[in-house]
Amino acid sequence: MAATITSEADGNLKENSMFLKKTLAAVSPLTLRIVAECPVTKARACDLTLPHSSVSTPVFMPVGTQGTLKGITADQLEGLGCQICLGNTYHLGMRPGPELIEKANGLHGFMNWRRNLLTDSGGFQMVSLVELSEVTEEGVKFKSPYDGKEILLSPEKSISIQNSLGSDIMMQLDDVVSSTVKGPRVEEAMHRSIRWLDRCIAANKHPDKQNLFAIIQGGLDAELRKACLDEMTKRDVPGFAIGGLSGGEEKDDFWRMVTLSTDHLPREKPRYLMGVGYAVDLVVCVALGCDMFDCVFPTRTARFGSALVPWGSLQVKQKQYAKDFQPIDPDCQCPTCKRHSRAYLHALFKSDTAAMHHITIHNIAYQLTLMRSVRQSIVEGRFPEFIQTFMKRMFPSPDQYPNWAVEALASVNVTLE
Amino acid sequence: MAGSRMKLELSKVVQGRCRLGQLKEMGRMGQHCLDIPGCLLYTHLGTVPHLTQDTLHTLSSLPTVTQVTLSNIAEHQDVLEEFKGGFKKFAGLHDTVLYCSLHDSAAQSPTGHTTNKTVSVWGSGGRIELTVAKFMALQRTVQPDWYQTMADGETWQTGISRKRVRKSVDRSLAHLDECLLVHQKSQELDGVSVFGVVEGGDILEERLRSARETAKRPVAGFCLDGFQNGAMDQALRSQLITAVTKELPEDKPRLLQGVGRPDEVLACVEAGVDLFEGFFPFQVTERGCALCFLFDITPDPESAAADEEQHTAGETQPNGDLNCDDQTHMTRFEMDLKDKRYQDDFRPLVEGCGCYCCRNHQRAYVHHLLVTNELLAGVLLMIHNTSHYNSFFRAVREALANDKMDLLRRRVLGTVKEESG
């Protein structure tokens, strides 16, 4: 099967293999030091060194779609201990455009963010946001929602934009198929993603400054996933993402694809599970061996007044909090919880957008603190106990534990009490 | 007397009306002071619009007085009553003087709901009718350091009759007396300063009557109401304020409501106003603009040259209407960062400005945030505009101290350029 894949990309083959040799020789601008591995599960704690700063994993990466994190300043984000955040290539490529950002010394300079940035390929937004998109071997064709012009996002174009953005980690353009789609389209997308990976590797103008991650595809089909893993791990990319999940598929399928992927990914390279951000999913997927996560959920839900807490979430705008003078979470050390009560935030939601900023700050603090606690427990060799405590706090009783989580954790030797 | 603590110390009076000094011993502990001429910190329910404590405290030398309005607070009365600790504690405000006013000068509320016994405020849930009893019950739960009394200020619409204006003066005086009566009986309000409200629309004799009568009451200071943008032009406003302040005791502060444009602030300071509300930077922020007018009067040739360049950027704006009555309309004191010309402008909003926004970000970035409707635009603009506006007030005090009000006025209005160039 692998042979047919490479022959399809025959035109690029010679160039690619030459390039592969080159990148093998060059040192990628990333090092991963495994600090601790859980003796029971597949969890690990690592120090990931990237061009702008080091990152302690497991890590949650907040999403700053348009070069800003939803009303939070770069200083505030740094103050919360965020070491890496995301920018979206599709949005930034449209507005303000790669030329302008390049003039501003990259996205770091444009948004004045001193730490690391990861950019996606733009492909996902294209498929999810733009109605008129067509995927061909060349790339993704779509009509600009701003001026109606037809634009082609090819692997080369995606990398060129990401090179202009200057992110520390770039993502390959992949052929994104909804995780609920079945049949030959999934297989086609998987093979195409491999071909596009090679084109992305060849297109990277700054392999010494910008890391390019491959994205494992293959839908919910174990054989396709395995084939994709086999092929992509032959490339000497600095890291791998697990893609095509977290799109509405059954959780039973989701965790099996995750664990299959981590089983076959190289130990010495970072593993990034795309689009995952619910607390339970984070804890379970750390146990399955993932290092990096991103999701818009914590910041998006904040703007609707939903605050994340160890027992789930708290809807600040609900009437029951109008006279509740406690902080969102009495144990939380974030600037919001240290100063404001649920009642004040409830009232402020009726008067000013700052109410949203307060919850956004709290939710980012919650995600980052959760991941720091997870890491700490791995380092101290008590991650299985951490999972038990975490689940007990999150659910009122064990019979409410989601079945998929119970099974996923059992697969890595953790039996929930 | 209600509010015996607040003391006004004048260090200079120019032309018998324009005052420089300090409000001392403010707050219940008497530990705060505020320089005059000065402005208050404008808030929505105790929060400076768009800002959290982190972003607010990137600003140095914030006004020591925070303003809240009953239009924001009234709907939360039951919450505050249950809380018991007063609004400052409820809103997480520490170390500030709390001033509670009736209406929000940046929000225009519907008229026609005022009666002999009531005024109405408009909150997020609609109209709330206040009697003096309810008004004072609110003050007891809010526990401000300083508040204005209930007043009927509906005199600013065009074509308002003399009879209606007279009624507004009578009603406001009656409300004042009633408020004072309740105040003196309320232990919770012991040591809280009360400002009486001077009404009278655009009729000189009603203004004088209102001023004289209010001055007879035991108040700590005066609010000048009904002078807001749209009510009258600046010449008439200056004339009326000059006449009114002549009637007011020299040792008590005068707070002007609803006026915030820099040129009008200067004219009103010269007419005898001490304090202004800080809503103007918020209005500028809401239209995606950044304050960029000049107020530097130090004779430093190098910075003057930089100012020159800055000024040219501001002056070529399409909207420079100085006599615009519409509060939502852009003024000549600001730059419209939504304008395409800023998309690749990598300068700070204002060269040499020390605010968080100007130290860290460029016009191109704020332009991007505005065109993409990002929340950070409001945050950064509010930081800059608040900072710029506060610095302007500092410049006003310096100009007064150094007899340079003329130079400052010309600088602010942009006519000093011809001289230096």
Side-chain angles (χ1 to χ4, degrees):
Chain A
M1 193 189 275
T4 47
I5 302 156
T6 34
S7 69
E8 270 183 48
D10 213 3
N12 288 323
L13 183 62
K14 216 171 183 180
E15 225 179 283
N16 284 347
S17 55
M18 273 175 65
F19 191 82
L20 279 177
K21 265 184 216 142
K22 241 196 290 175
T23 47
L24 279 171
V27 181
S28 68
L30 173 155
T31 56
L32 186 81
R33 191 175 72 87
I34 299 172
V35 177
E37 284 175 302
C38 175
V40 178
T41 70
K42 293 198 273 174
R44 58 219 216 131
C46 312
D47 287 343
L48 175 64
T49 308
L50 291 169
H52 282 82
S53 64
S54 76
V55 177
S56 303
T57 76
V59 64
F60 175 79
M61 306 178 285
V63 183
T65 302
Q66 317 214 65
T68 157
L69 212 127
K70 301 302 166 196
I72 306 304
T73 64
D75 274 13
Q76 283 178 299
L77 196 56
E78 211 177 291
L80 292 171
C82 175
Q83 297 165 322
I84 178 168
C85 68
L86 261 71
N88 284 116
T89 295
Y90 167 79
H91 292 98
L92 292 164
M94 285 289 183
R95 292 185 303 187
E99 299 81 13
L100 189 100
I101 292 192
E102 205 170 319
K103 268 200 246 168
N105 295 320
L107 186 54
H108 287 90
F110 187 61
M111 65 186 282
N112 196 30
W113 171 245
R114 285 175 285 260
R115 295 184 178 173
N116 302 294
L117 285 167
L118 183 150
T119 48
D120 65 356
S121 67
F124 178 73
Q125 270 78 24
M126 208 115 329
V127 177
S128 61
L129 296 181
V130 184
E131 277 179 43
L132 297 160
S133 69
E134 185 199 350
V135 184
T136 65
E137 190 56 30
E138 234 186 320
V140 186
K141 240 186 246 166
F142 68 101
K143 262 197 185 137
S144 161
Y146 304 109
D147 57 12
K149 261 190 231 155
E150 189 152 282
I151 299 173
L152 172 76
L153 185 78
S154 62
E156 292 76 16
K157 178 78 187 162
S158 169
I159 294 301
S160 154
I161 299 173
Q162 295 186 71
N163 276 155
S164 296
L165 298 179
S167 47
D168 300 88
I169 297 175
M170 307 188 288
M171 301 307 298
Q172 75 154 109
L173 183 71
D174 52 349
D175 185 358
V176 182
V177 186
S178 161
S179 53
T180 51
V181 168
K182 290 192 167 68
R185 175 72 185 95
V186 182
E187 184 169 0
E188 179 197 45
M190 184 272 283
H191 290 308
R192 182 172 286 145
S193 294
I194 297 168
R195 294 191 295 273
W196 283 3
L197 170 61
D198 289 333
R199 284 168 62 187
C200 286
I201 294 172
N204 183 5
K205 283 187 297 230
H206 308 302
D208 55 327
K209 284 189 289 197
Q210 293 183 272
N211 296 289
L212 174 65
F213 277 28
I215 304 176
I216 306 297
Q217 288 290 350
L220 305 175
D221 183 318
E223 270 182 43
L224 292 180
R225 283 260 159 200
K226 180 67 176 47
C228 192
L229 280 157
D230 287 346
E231 201 51 47
M232 284 188 171
T233 49
K234 285 181 195 162
R235 276 77 175 166
D236 188 30
V237 287
F240 294 92
I242 302 166
L245 297 175
S246 207
E249 71 280 357
E250 290 294 328
K251 285 283 192 183
D252 278 332
D253 295 324
F254 161 79
W255 77 262
R256 287 192 168 83
M257 290 301 115
V258 172
T259 205
L260 170 80
S261 305
T262 54
D263 278 342
H264 294 92
L265 286 170
R267 176 177 174 269
E268 70 282 2
K269 287 182 181 177
R271 299 116 171 223
Y272 161 29
L273 179 56
M274 302 176 84
V276 166
Y278 296 134
V280 173
D281 300 15
L282 290 172
V283 171
V284 172
C285 293
V286 166
L288 298 180
C290 300
D291 306 311
M292 304 163 72
F293 307 87
D294 82 288
C295 190
V296 294
F297 163 73
T299 40
R300 179 174 292 164
T301 203
R303 299 197 295 282
F304 295 103
S306 177
L308 303 175
V309 286
W311 58 95
S313 66
L314 190 149
Q315 311 305 315
V316 174
K317 287 159 86 173
Q318 277 175 7
K319 215 171 172 187
Q320 69 188 100
Y321 300 113
K323 293 180 183 177
D324 186 336
F325 304 114
Q326 308 172 75
I328 293 170
D329 174 4
D331 296 326
C332 177
Q333 297 300 309
C334 83
T336 303
C337 288
K338 277 203 261 178
R339 189 179 279 264
H340 295 301
S341 65
R342 297 169 183 178
Y344 181 67
L345 295 169
H346 175 91
L348 191 61
F349 256 101
K350 295 174 182 172
S351 296
D352 201 84
T353 59
M356 295 189 218
H357 307 338
H358 285 303
I359 312 290
T360 302
I361 285 171
H362 169 82
N363 283 1
I364 294 171
Y366 172 81
Q367 298 285 106
L368 299 182
T369 307
L370 173 66
M371 296 311 262
R372 277 194 289 265
S373 316
V374 164
R375 177 183 160 101
Q376 192 63 24
S377 75
I378 298 169
V379 171
E380 290 168 8
R382 49 174 180 80
F383 182 54
E385 292 77 21
F386 176 92
I387 299 174
Q388 301 285 359
T389 317
F390 168 84
M391 293 296 283
K392 268 186 213 153
R393 189 88 204 273
M394 185 59 81
F395 297 94
S397 69
D399 54 328
Q400 282 169 298
Y401 290 166
N403 202 43
W404 73 270
V406 174
E407 283 181 22
L409 289 169
S411 80
V412 285
N413 315 308
V414 174
T415 313
L416 290 176
E417 289 154 12
Chain B
M1 179 170 100
S4 53
R5 269 226 176 79
M6 189 187 283
K7 283 199 181 81
L8 178 62
E9 242 181 55
L10 295 178
S11 51
K12 189 169 185 175
V13 179
V14 181
Q15 291 175 332
R17 9 176 238 275
C18 182
R19 297 134 59 97
L20 178 72
Q22 201 174 45
L23 264 175
K24 289 192 159 162
E25 294 175 42
M26 291 192 300
R28 293 209 179 179
M29 301 295 138
Q31 73 277 43
H32 291 285
C33 49
L34 176 68
D35 294 325
I36 63 146
C39 79
L40 314 178
L41 191 63
Y42 174 79
T43 72
H44 287 161
L45 204 70
T47 287
V48 174
H50 306 296
L51 303 188
T52 59
Q53 288 294 322
D54 291 340
T55 43
L56 178 67
H57 287 291
T58 62
L59 292 165
S60 55
S61 59
L62 284 167
T64 48
V65 179
T66 301
Q67 180 181 6
V68 289
T69 64
L70 283 188
S71 54
N72 276 172
I73 291 181
E75 64 193 281
H76 306 296
Q77 183 174 13
D78 57 331
V79 176
L80 284 165
E81 266 163 15
E82 191 163 319
F83 180 67
K84 291 190 178 73
F87 183 81
K88 258 199 268 186
K89 205 170 164 201
F90 177 70
L93 298 171
H94 317 305
D95 207 38
T96 186
V97 175
L98 190 72
Y99 165 61
C100 184
S101 69
L102 192 57
H103 300 291
D104 181 346
S105 288
Q108 211 161 41
S109 40
T111 57
H113 296 278
T114 312
T115 69
N116 279 335
K117 292 283 171 206
T118 67
V119 296
S120 288
V121 291
W122 298 77
S124 72
R127 183 168 73 98
I128 297 173
E129 192 163 62
L130 304 176
T131 57
V132 167
K134 182 161 163 101
F135 178 91
M136 290 306 292
L138 269 164
Q139 299 300 348
R140 280 196 299 265
T141 48
V142 172
Q143 296 169 27
D145 298 299
W146 160 24
Y147 67 94
Q148 69 157 103
T149 53
M150 199 168 103
D152 169 15
E154 280 190 15
T155 57
W156 48 269
Q157 309 98 309
T158 42
I160 196 102
S161 70
R162 179 173 285 261
K163 195 176 151 204
R164 178 67 183 86
V165 172
R166 193 179 305 132
K167 203 192 256 179
S168 103
V169 173
D170 291 338
R171 280 174 176 173
S172 299
L173 287 170
H175 295 332
L176 171 61
D177 288 335
E178 259 191 275
C179 285
L180 286 171
L181 211 62
V182 180
H183 182 102
Q184 275 144 7
K185 284 189 225 151
S186 308
Q187 258 187 353
E188 307 95 307
L189 295 174
D190 190 32
V192 174
S193 305
V194 179
F195 271 34
V197 186
V198 176
E199 299 286 355
D202 55 3
I203 299 167
L204 179 63
E205 56 197 79
E206 287 304 319
R207 281 284 168 194
L208 295 177
R209 182 168 73 93
S210 182
R212 284 176 195 139
E213 286 302 318
T214 308
K216 285 180 194 162
R217 273 72 172 177
V219 292
F222 304 90
C223 289
L224 311 184
D225 192 28
F227 286 109
Q228 61 265 48
N229 249 314
M232 61 188 76
D233 64 23
Q234 186 54 45
L236 178 59
R237 185 187 288 138
S238 284
Q239 188 196 329
L240 290 172
I241 291 175
T242 306
V244 162
T245 51
K246 238 182 242 164
E247 301 299 325
L248 300 176
E250 199 183 47
D251 62 343
K252 290 180 183 176
R254 304 110 183 222
L255 164 64
L256 177 60
Q257 297 178 325
V259 173
R261 240 169 55 178
D263 54 333
E264 296 174 340
V265 165
L266 286 174
C268 292
V269 163
E270 293 187 310
V273 171
D274 303 320
L275 293 168
F276 296 82
E277 301 172 303
F279 63 91
F280 183 68
F282 168 66
Q283 290 179 325
V284 175
T285 298
E286 292 312 282
R287 51 184 174 247
C289 293
L291 289 175
C292 60
F293 66 96
L294 303 177
F295 50 73
D296 183 14
I297 49 168
T298 51
D300 171 13
E302 210 168 302
S303 75
D307 285 351
E308 205 68 37
E309 186 193 350
Q310 180 63 47
H311 188 73
T312 324
E315 206 184 37
T316 44
Q317 291 296 326
N319 304 315
D321 189 357
L322 198 58
N323 296 315
C324 186
D325 287 340
D326 183 358
Q327 292 198 47
T328 59
H329 205 288
M330 186 180 157
T331 67
R332 60 184 291 184
F333 306 100
E334 58 208 83
M335 60 205 279
D336 181 5
L337 282 162
K338 295 185 293 315
D339 194 294
K340 229 179 157 182
R341 82 176 87 171
Y342 299 116
Q343 74 174 353
D344 57 353
D345 188 337
F346 297 116
R347 289 179 292 173
L349 305 191
V350 170
E351 218 82 56
C353 174
C355 82
Y356 175 84
C357 176
C358 290
R359 277 187 288 115
N360 290 284
H361 296 292
Q362 300 156 340
R363 296 174 183 181
Y365 183 59
V366 179
H367 170 83
H368 165 73
L369 296 175
L370 285 165
V371 297
T372 52
N373 265 322
E374 280 287 346
L375 289 163
L376 190 60
V379 176
L380 294 179
L381 284 175
M382 195 63 198
I383 291 174
H384 170 76
N385 289 333
T386 304
S387 165
H388 196 89
Y389 200 62
N390 287 336
S391 301
F392 162 62
F393 272 93
R394 206 173 311 127
V396 172
R397 293 190 292 271
E398 276 168 25
L400 263 174
N402 300 309
D403 299 314
K404 287 190 172 156
M405 279 298 273
D406 276 349
L407 181 60
L408 177 65
R409 194 187 321 102
R410 279 179 287 140
R411 175 66 89 182
V412 168
L413 294 177
T415 53
V416 79
K417 198 174 66 170
E418 290 133 48
E419 281 173 32
S420 64

